[in-house]
Amino acid sequence: MDVRGFWKIKKLMMLTDDDEDPWKTVEYAMEADFLDDDTKEFLQGRFLFADDGKVKVLVPIPEGATQQEIDEAVAAGIIEVYDEKTMVGGVYEWKTEDGKIYVDSGLHNEGEHDWGEVTETDGMLNFLTYKLVRE
């Protein structure tokens, strides 16, 4: 499977007391009163599996941020702007090996990569604690 391109979160793992299925839709999560605004903003983001072996998590630039604040954050190396509305909220590495897709979780143990296999279920990529659909 060619994963290159844009993906968005369709479902995420949420452990709740109300039922046995831990996979909740983004819409369900957005209504949860225990999620903070940053988490809800992240859930609206996109994932770009790029040709350079990077997965860029793209999130909206916070509302109300001035151009000066954005420029200062970029100059300080705090953020990377992707386009006029979006910034890079995180970067992972990905690779293919023996026809399988792997993503480095970023949780390195003594400098070693933590490669986890990305599988496909019902047209969705299982990526960390998310199920992604092609955008």
Side-chain angles (χ1 to χ4, degrees):
M1 167 182 227
D2 183 5
V3 296
R4 289 175 290 193
F6 291 97
W7 296 79
K8 65 181 180 178
I9 300 172
K10 177 71 174 176
K11 293 185 176 184
L12 64 151
M13 186 177 290
M14 292 179 68
L15 302 176
T16 61
D17 295 332
D18 62 351
D19 62 19
E20 19 188 276
D21 184 9
W23 293 103
K24 308 296 185 210
T25 65
V26 168
E27 295 78 16
Y28 176 92
M30 295 300 283
E31 296 298 320
D33 58 358
F34 56 87
L35 292 182
D36 61 32
D37 290 342
D38 289 340
T39 301
K40 289 180 178 182
E41 186 174 283
F42 175 81
L43 294 176
Q44 298 299 308
R46 305 177 327 173
F47 294 75
L48 171 59
F49 281 76
D51 291 333
D52 65 358
K54 304 286 186 208
V55 179
K56 293 182 177 183
V57 182
L58 306 174
V59 296
I61 293 173
E63 284 188 38
T66 66
Q67 189 60 51
Q68 180 178 347
E69 290 170 330
I70 295 168
D71 292 344
E72 289 172 358
V74 169
I78 297 170
I79 67 167
E80 174 189 341
V81 173
Y82 180 75
D83 61 25
E84 66 277 352
K85 297 180 182 179
T86 312
M87 66 182 185
V88 178
V91 178
Y92 299 91
E93 293 183 50
W94 74 278
K95 68 178 182 177
T96 57
E97 190 173 286
D98 297 326
K100 296 180 180 179
I101 302 161
Y102 296 91
V103 172
D104 183 358
S105 72
L107 303 173
H108 299 154
N109 183 17
E110 297 180 18
E112 295 295 318
H113 288 278
D114 182 26
W115 295 106
E117 185 177 354
V118 174
T119 58
E120 181 185 0
T121 306
D122 299 326
M124 294 181 278
L125 289 185
N126 300 312
F127 178 79
L128 303 173
T129 59
Y130 307 104
K131 291 185 181 278
L132 309 177
V133 291
R134 196 172 289 278
E135 193 175 67

